[in-house]
Amino acid sequence: MYQWRKFEFFEEKSSGKSSIPNEVEGKIECCSSGRGKIVVGCDDGTVNFLDRGLRFIQGFPAHASSVLFLQQLKQRNFLVTVGEDEQTSPQISPICLKVFDLDKMQQESSSTASPECIQILRIFTNQFPEAKITSFLVLEEAPPILLISIGLDNGCIYCIKGDIARERITRFKLQVENVSDKSHTSVTGLGFRVDGQALQLFAVTPSSVSLFSLQDHPPRRQTLDQIGCDVNSVTMSDRLELIIGRPEAVYFYEVDGRGPCWAFEGEKKFLGWFRGYLLCVIADQRTGKNTFNVYDLKNRLIAHSIVVGEVSHMLCEWGSIVLIMSDKTALCIGEKDMESKLDMLFKKNLYTVAINLVQSQQADAAATAEVLRKYGDHLYGKQDYDEAMAQYINTIGHLEPSYVIQKFLDAQRIYNLTNYLEKLHEKGLASKDHTTLLLNCYTKLKDVEKLNVFIKSEDGIGEHKFDVETAIRVCRAAGYHEHAMYVAKKAGKHEWYLKILLEDLGSYHEALQYISSLEPSQAGVTVKEYGKILVEHKPVETIEILMRLCTDDGESTKKSKQTNISMLPSPVDFVNVFIHHPQSLMGFLEQYITRVDDSPAQVEIHNTLLELYLSNDLNFPALSQENSSGDLYLKAKGSIDVGAASSSADTKGGKGTNKEKDCLERFEKGLRLLKSAWPPHLEQPLYDVDLAVILCEMNAVREGLLFLYEKMGLYKEVIACYIQAHDHEGLIACCKRLGDSSKGGDPSLWGDLLKYFGELGEDCSKEVKEVLTYIERDDILPPIMVLQTLSRNPCLTLSVVKDYTARKLEQESKLIEEDRRSIDKYQEDTAAMRKEIQDLRTNARIFQLSKCTACTFTLDLPAVHFMCMHSFHQRCLGDNEKECPECVPDYRSVLETKRSLEQNGRDHDQFFQQVKNSKDGFSVIAEYFGKGVVSKTSNGTAPGILRSDSSSPHGGF
């Protein structure tokens, strides 16, 4: 033990020794500390309180004679004392136990106050005979429960447990051992050990160490050792170990027996425990002096050593150690801060001790790392690079890696650098730059084995301790494609894996196999990114993969039909990969629509196919480059005659013929698609109509335009197409089909056709005669408009319209004659009505009816006669005497008709719609005038559809 290093990790406080205040007059018998103060018990029965500077706070008489033991409680501000009071009876022992509540003060005089004594207990009773008290200890259980243990010189321990203040207590006795020699049976030390629900009591005598299990009933005793110690040489560690001091060594005890011992020679006057340090006051028999040592058992060093006088008490409070001497002087010793202790060690280059010190005192990791860094710098300066790196590795996570890396960038120290970077990756603290540097180290060292371990030793997918993309990029740049592909595949970086296969290795077939093995969603993403390269080199295989992705072709037919197509990728998503290979795109989309009928993207697919079909030139490589082998898709599908292509007869003319043939085939496919994608039962086609029209117009696909215009009901545009093509026969046939009003056609097409022939400027007599036949049949145009239209063509003669004009004149003459006869009839009827009205106004009416029109009985008074020559009994009319019951229905019918005409006169939209839809609009206007619906305004405003202001007489008079 004499070889232990000595350090001054502690220092004296208050500039050296101090003394107990003079207010403490008696001899100090006992001491305790806690709650920021020191409590001193004296032989005069007083208890005194001292503050941090050992200044007197207050004192009070606790016992009449002497204070033997006391203890300041920690949880509650209670003070428990054992002392001698006045003996009132020889049978009653003067020794008693008192409990003081230090928070409650009683005023004894104007200047003094003492704490309230809340309980006084007699320790010795008939059941607990009196003996000398040698040790005293109080355990605070759950408040307000206290457990007081009193050790006696006869080997007994008296225990008092309960609420002492309310005297709700139980007493029991423990017997250490039965020995006749009392000098070897006195209890010299006690120590409580609380571990969960287990409550145990260590008891020490000069010849034994015992352990009582207080949770058992009765308490069970266990002898731990057959050696003991004297008073004041017993303490407890913060790990709940019992410590005893003997002249030859210091022994540690746990519940199962003796533990480690430390051979500190010399008589142990006092033992204590402070923040993991063992405190010993040792008497040196050779010199006769007492030495106070502070031992750091973990690091095997003496943290402090000082020669002291005769120590009477040793306490720990305020983070310091207080030694009270028998001459009432005191010594306060405090621990230096960690920085001061480390500086002391660094100056002596004791880095190992410094490291052990910070680790044993549970310093924070940053402080430990700083010590390791300084130790590493020290070793680095001594060129001990391997050991220096070992220290730097222990700083990972706290020391900036660049600090270490820059020290080992020299090529001669690349092995140390590699080791550091490996540890950095193992702890998951490496950045992308660190991964790059480590892989570069491997490649420079050409250490394939370590590279394999670094790359391939990870467990599980996605658990890499390095940046995956950085590793792939470095391995790829260094030519380690296999390692790069391994990392990419394991990390699920499919795009990197394929990039290496396609761009570095050119393994197109393997790339396609890899894509096939992926999940459909991931396979779709990779095909979108690398599909252009794959289509260029492996078009057929690429299309097969796309078909499986878009149609779920890998499953059975039955399951495929049940698959929800909307959940699968759309072919439209992959159109961009065919940007340089339209023929392959055409084949892909044709295969798709053949297998899938109800795709959600069929409109977009049809639009794309129409663009391909109706394009004049797809710019195939075979057509633009003479030495090119053409679209690989065509070659793979066998659509090119290899023998014919190699023939010398197939020159530029042959290529042009093939191009025209291909263009015609595509146009035919386009027309078939236009018609099949717009079935009769659909109002809108399964493609974009506007796009289809634009494509047909741009590429002069006349048949497609005619179909679209006809389906869209744009008959005039259909006629315009035929007119533009100067196809008279087709023009007339089209009008026959689209101008028949009985079949929903537009008869006005014949008028447009006649106008075209009238402005043609060439002889078209045959066509005009045929057109006039249909105009005359459906009475589409008035004769005057027909003549005016045809008069503009100087090449037409009168003979063309002679027969038409004669027939129309004859028809008009017949109509005029019929109108004249109608006019004469209406004039006669009007004259008769006017005469009747005049007669009613000027002449008297004679009523000669003798019977009632309603009941046919003889007419008697009172009777009612109407101007319509009907007569009724007044009783037969009831309440309605103003209208003739016989004539009212007819009259009301006339009124309803008039009201309807007036209402129609206000509906301008209906009026103009009738004019527009009528063959002869003038007749509609004339009819409105004839019914009196249309009239002029009285204020000079424009004429309009107005309500008639005239009123009609009642039906009955």
Side-chain angles (χ1 to χ4, degrees):
M1 294 299 174
Y2 294 105
Q3 297 178 357
W4 280 20
R5 295 175 182 268
K6 290 185 179 182
F7 299 94
E8 293 301 321
F9 289 164
F10 287 77
E11 59 184 356
E12 296 181 7
K13 302 291 184 180
S14 302
S15 301
K17 295 182 179 180
S18 56
S19 60
I20 301 300
N22 295 328
E23 288 85 352
V24 182
E25 297 177 353
K27 178 183 177 182
I28 299 176
E29 294 288 344
C30 53
C31 292
S32 180
S33 63
R35 301 182 74 91
K37 55 183 177 291
I38 289 178
V39 186
V40 177
C42 300
D43 61 353
D44 59 358
T46 61
V47 173
N48 302 278
F49 296 94
L50 307 180
D51 64 4
R52 188 184 187 94
L54 298 183
R55 293 181 293 271
F56 181 79
I57 300 176
Q58 71 172 13
F60 69 95
H63 294 272
S65 179
S66 175
V67 181
L68 302 178
F69 297 92
L70 58 81
Q71 183 172 333
Q72 169 72 53
L73 303 186
K74 301 292 192 302
Q75 296 183 18
R76 291 178 292 172
N77 197 13
F78 283 5
L79 178 67
V80 181
T81 64
V82 175
E84 294 184 15
D85 284 334
E86 294 180 356
Q87 188 171 9
T88 59
S89 172
Q91 291 79 20
I92 300 176
S93 173
I95 299 177
C96 63
L97 182 145
K98 294 184 179 181
V99 180
F100 296 91
D101 187 350
L102 303 182
D103 291 331
K104 298 179 180 179
M105 304 301 292
Q106 292 180 338
Q107 197 72 27
E108 295 184 351
S109 65
S110 59
S111 59
T112 61
S114 61
E116 179 183 351
C117 180
I118 59 176
Q119 188 57 260
I120 300 176
L121 293 178
R122 294 294 176 181
I123 297 176
F124 302 112
T125 63
N126 294 332
Q127 295 180 351
F128 298 90
E130 183 177 0
K132 182 181 178 182
I133 299 176
T134 56
S135 59
F136 174 77
L137 188 62
V138 180
L139 173 66
E140 296 180 82
E141 294 190 29
I145 305 301
L146 298 179
L147 175 58
I148 302 174
S149 296
I150 303 172
L152 307 176
D153 63 349
N154 59 5
C156 291
I157 302 174
Y158 292 169
C159 295
I160 303 173
K161 183 177 181 179
D163 187 353
I164 307 296
R166 299 182 181 180
E167 204 171 351
R168 297 176 181 176
I169 58 175
T170 58
R171 297 172 181 256
F172 58 92
K173 179 171 62 173
L174 303 174
Q175 183 66 44
V176 178
E177 54 186 343
N178 295 320
V179 181
S180 59
D181 188 0
K182 290 188 177 182
S183 63
H184 291 84
T185 60
S186 63
V187 179
T188 57
L190 297 170
F192 283 108
R193 187 180 191 276
V194 180
D195 186 7
Q197 297 296 325
L199 175 59
Q200 297 167 317
L201 175 65
F202 288 103
V204 182
T205 67
S207 60
S208 68
V209 176
S210 303
L211 177 68
F212 293 92
S213 298
L214 301 183
Q215 71 271 13
D216 298 334
H217 298 284
R220 180 171 52 87
R221 182 177 69 84
Q222 175 185 358
T223 301
L224 300 180
D225 206 347
Q226 295 298 328
I227 60 174
C229 66
D230 296 330
V231 180
N232 296 328
S233 297
V234 180
T235 188
M236 294 290 293
S237 73
D238 52 11
R239 295 188 299 273
L240 301 180
E241 298 170 307
L242 176 70
I243 308 172
I244 67 172
R246 291 179 59 83
E248 71 277 8
V250 175
Y251 298 90
F252 283 72
Y253 291 89
E254 296 183 359
V255 293
D256 53 353
R258 184 194 295 180
C261 67
W262 303 90
F264 304 137
E265 295 181 357
E267 182 184 357
K268 313 303 184 297
K269 293 293 188 70
F270 281 91
L271 279 186
W273 191 265
F274 175 74
R275 293 181 178 178
Y277 294 101
L278 176 64
L279 311 179
C280 288
V281 177
I282 301 176
D284 191 343
Q285 300 297 334
R286 292 172 296 181
T287 62
K289 296 182 179 179
N290 295 330
T291 305
F292 174 66
N293 291 336
V294 180
Y295 295 100
D296 185 348
L297 302 180
K298 288 184 178 180
N299 299 312
R300 295 177 181 269
L301 57 86
I302 300 175
H304 187 68
S305 181
I306 186 174
V307 177
V308 295
E310 188 68 24
V311 179
S312 62
H313 299 89
M314 183 168 62
L315 304 168
C316 296
E317 186 66 22
W318 311 300
S320 300
I321 305 166
V322 180
L323 300 178
I324 299 177
M325 309 301 173
S326 58
D327 58 357
K328 288 191 177 183
T329 60
L331 181 64
C332 293
I333 302 173
E335 186 179 7
K336 295 180 180 180
D337 57 70
M338 179 63 71
E339 185 177 357
S340 300
K341 291 189 286 185
L342 292 177
D343 288 340
M344 186 188 308
L345 296 173
F346 292 154
K347 290 177 181 178
K348 298 180 180 181
N349 292 331
L350 298 176
Y351 293 97
T352 305
V353 178
I355 293 171
N356 295 332
L357 180 65
V358 295
Q359 291 177 346
S360 63
Q361 296 196 0
Q362 299 179 350
D364 61 336
T368 305
E370 179 63 18
V371 176
L372 292 170
R373 180 193 66 79
K374 290 185 177 181
Y375 188 27
D377 292 345
H378 173 70
L379 295 172
Y380 185 87
K382 295 171 61 177
Q383 297 184 352
D384 187 357
Y385 301 118
D386 294 339
E387 190 62 30
M389 179 54 73
Q391 304 306 319
Y392 287 136
I393 287 174
N394 292 327
T395 66
I396 291 177
H398 304 281
L399 181 62
E400 178 62 34
S402 59
Y403 179 85
V404 180
I405 292 172
Q406 66 181 357
K407 290 178 175 290
F408 291 87
L409 286 178
D410 193 337
Q412 296 178 353
R413 294 188 284 277
I414 191 172
Y415 291 99
N416 299 118
L417 178 60
T418 303
N419 186 24
Y420 180 79
L421 293 172
E422 287 173 348
K423 298 298 182 182
L424 202 62
H425 281 82
E426 286 179 6
K427 296 186 178 181
L429 300 174
S431 66
K432 296 180 181 180
D433 295 332
H434 299 149
T435 302
T436 303
L437 186 58
L438 177 59
L439 292 174
N440 285 331
C441 289
Y442 286 149
T443 54
K444 285 185 178 181
L445 294 172
K446 296 183 179 180
D447 194 342
V448 179
E449 183 178 353
K450 277 197 171 183
L451 183 61
N452 288 335
V453 172
F454 180 74
I455 294 295
K456 300 181 180 180
S457 64
E458 301 294 331
D459 297 329
I461 298 177
E463 298 180 4
H464 296 281
K465 296 179 181 178
F466 52 83
D467 184 76
V468 173
E469 293 191 4
T470 301
I472 295 172
R473 191 160 42 246
V474 174
C475 291
R476 185 184 178 196
Y480 290 89
H481 297 115
E482 180 184 352
H483 296 80
M485 290 170 59
Y486 177 86
V487 175
K489 187 174 183 179
K490 190 172 183 181
K493 299 291 183 180
H494 310 299
E495 63 279 4
W496 280 101
Y497 189 88
L498 291 171
K499 184 178 292 186
I500 297 170
L501 281 176
L502 297 175
E503 298 179 5
D504 297 340
L505 304 178
S507 301
Y508 306 108
H509 183 71
E510 185 179 350
L512 288 168
Q513 289 181 337
Y514 182 76
I515 292 174
S516 301
S517 66
L518 298 177
E519 292 292 330
S521 59
Q522 191 61 50
V525 174
T526 54
V527 171
K528 289 178 185 178
E529 186 170 356
Y530 301 103
K532 295 178 184 178
I533 301 176
L534 294 173
V535 169
E536 182 177 356
H537 295 87
K538 297 287 183 180
V540 176
E541 293 82 354
T542 305
I543 290 176
E544 290 178 358
I545 291 178
L546 290 176
M547 288 300 298
R548 286 198 295 270
L549 288 175
C550 298
T551 63
D552 198 18
D553 195 41
E555 304 292 337
S556 63
T557 304
K558 181 178 180 181
K559 188 174 181 180
S560 296
K561 291 182 180 179
Q562 296 175 352
T563 302
N564 190 353
I565 299 297
S566 62
M567 301 298 292
L568 299 175
S570 171
V572 180
D573 299 336
F574 305 101
V575 170
N576 64 313
V577 305
F578 296 94
I579 188 169
H580 299 302
H581 303 276
Q583 192 73 35
S584 298
L585 175 60
M586 190 186 307
F588 167 54
L589 295 180
E590 286 175 349
Q591 290 185 40
Y592 181 81
I593 62 175
T594 302
R595 298 188 188 182
V596 181
D597 297 331
D598 54 349
S599 172
Q602 59 183 342
V603 173
E604 292 82 358
I605 295 172
H606 290 161
N607 290 341
T608 305
L609 281 174
L610 287 176
E611 291 185 39
L612 295 170
Y613 289 153
L614 302 180
S615 175
N616 284 323
D617 192 355
L618 288 177
N619 295 322
F620 299 134
L623 303 177
S624 60
Q625 298 179 8
E626 293 185 0
N627 297 327
S628 175
S629 59
D631 194 323
L632 294 180
Y633 177 77
L634 293 175
K635 181 179 287 186
K637 299 295 288 183
S639 60
I640 295 179
D641 189 350
V642 178
S646 61
S647 173
S648 59
D650 288 342
T651 57
K652 295 182 179 179
K655 292 182 180 179
T657 303
N658 291 336
K659 179 179 178 180
E660 293 176 359
K661 182 180 179 181
D662 179 76
C663 186
L664 291 175
E665 290 178 355
R666 287 189 286 105
F667 281 2
E668 291 176 0
K669 291 181 180 179
L671 291 174
R672 286 197 297 270
L673 180 59
L674 285 175
K675 296 177 182 179
S676 63
W678 198 342
H681 63 277
L682 293 181
E683 294 183 1
Q684 294 295 327
L686 300 177
Y687 50 80
D688 189 341
V689 179
D690 297 333
L691 175 63
V693 171
I694 292 173
L695 291 173
C696 291
E697 288 183 349
M698 290 176 58
N699 299 284
V701 186
R702 178 186 164 207
E703 187 175 350
L705 275 176
L706 292 175
F707 171 77
L708 293 172
Y709 285 151
E710 184 173 342
K711 290 290 289 185
M712 295 167 66
L714 303 176
Y715 299 145
K716 296 186 182 296
E717 281 73 9
V718 177
I719 297 299
C721 287
Y722 283 106
I723 292 175
Q724 186 177 2
H726 207 67
D727 184 3
H728 295 174
E729 183 177 353
L731 191 57
I732 294 175
C734 178
C735 285
K736 289 179 181 179
R737 187 175 71 257
L738 303 179
D740 190 351
S741 60
S742 62
K743 297 181 180 180
D746 184 5
S748 64
L749 296 178
W750 291 107
D752 296 336
L753 184 55
L754 184 67
K755 180 179 179 182
Y756 163 68
F757 286 130
E759 298 176 350
L760 186 58
E762 62 181 48
D763 187 9
C764 51
S765 301
K766 179 181 178 182
E767 291 82 356
V768 171
K769 289 180 179 180
E770 188 173 359
V771 171
L772 289 177
T773 302
Y774 290 97
I775 292 177
E776 181 182 2
R777 184 191 70 181
D778 297 334
D779 196 16
I780 297 172
L781 293 175
I784 186 63
M785 292 184 63
V786 173
L787 295 177
Q788 288 176 349
T789 302
L790 294 178
S791 64
R792 299 170 186 169
N793 190 344
C795 298
L796 295 177
T797 61
L798 186 59
S799 59
V800 177
V801 296
K802 178 181 178 182
D803 295 338
Y804 168 77
T805 305
R807 288 192 299 272
K808 296 302 290 185
L809 288 175
E810 184 179 355
Q811 291 177 3
E812 294 295 333
S813 298
K814 291 180 181 180
L815 290 175
I816 291 172
E817 185 62 29
E818 290 178 0
D819 290 341
R820 284 178 178 172
R821 286 196 295 270
S822 298
I823 290 171
D824 292 341
K825 181 178 179 299
Y826 289 150
Q827 286 179 347
E828 291 176 1
D829 293 343
T830 303
M833 290 180 183
R834 288 176 176 171
K835 181 179 180 182
E836 183 178 358
I837 293 172
Q838 183 65 24
D839 187 31
L840 288 173
R841 289 177 177 175
T842 57
N843 298 328
R845 284 278 180 147
I846 301 174
F847 300 98
Q848 297 179 346
L849 288 179
S850 59
K851 293 183 179 181
C852 175
T853 304
C855 64
T856 70
F857 288 107
T858 302
L859 193 65
D860 56 4
L861 297 177
V864 179
H865 302 279
F866 291 93
M867 300 297 291
C868 59
M869 304 306 295
H870 291 146
S871 301
F872 299 89
H873 292 117
Q874 188 176 12
R875 63 179 178 275
C876 293
L877 290 177
D879 295 334
N880 188 7
E881 298 180 358
K882 296 183 179 181
E883 293 180 335
C884 173
E886 294 292 327
C887 299
V888 159
D890 295 336
Y891 175 62
R892 288 182 178 175
S893 173
V894 173
L895 288 179
E896 186 65 30
T897 303
K898 180 181 178 183
R899 192 178 300 109
S900 177
L901 291 173
E902 291 176 352
Q903 185 175 358
N904 291 338
R906 301 189 195 100
D907 191 352
H908 298 181
D909 294 337
Q910 181 181 0
F911 170 75
F912 289 112
Q913 187 67 30
Q914 291 180 3
V915 173
K916 181 179 180 180
N917 295 335
S918 175
K919 296 180 181 180
D920 187 3
F922 181 77
S923 62
V924 176
I925 299 174
E927 182 181 359
Y928 269 73
F929 271 105
K931 293 177 180 179
V933 179
V934 179
S935 64
K936 294 182 179 180
T937 59
S938 59
N939 296 328
T941 58
I945 308 300
L946 301 174
R947 176 182 175 184
S948 176
D949 293 333
S950 61
S951 60
S952 301
H954 291 289
F957 299 98

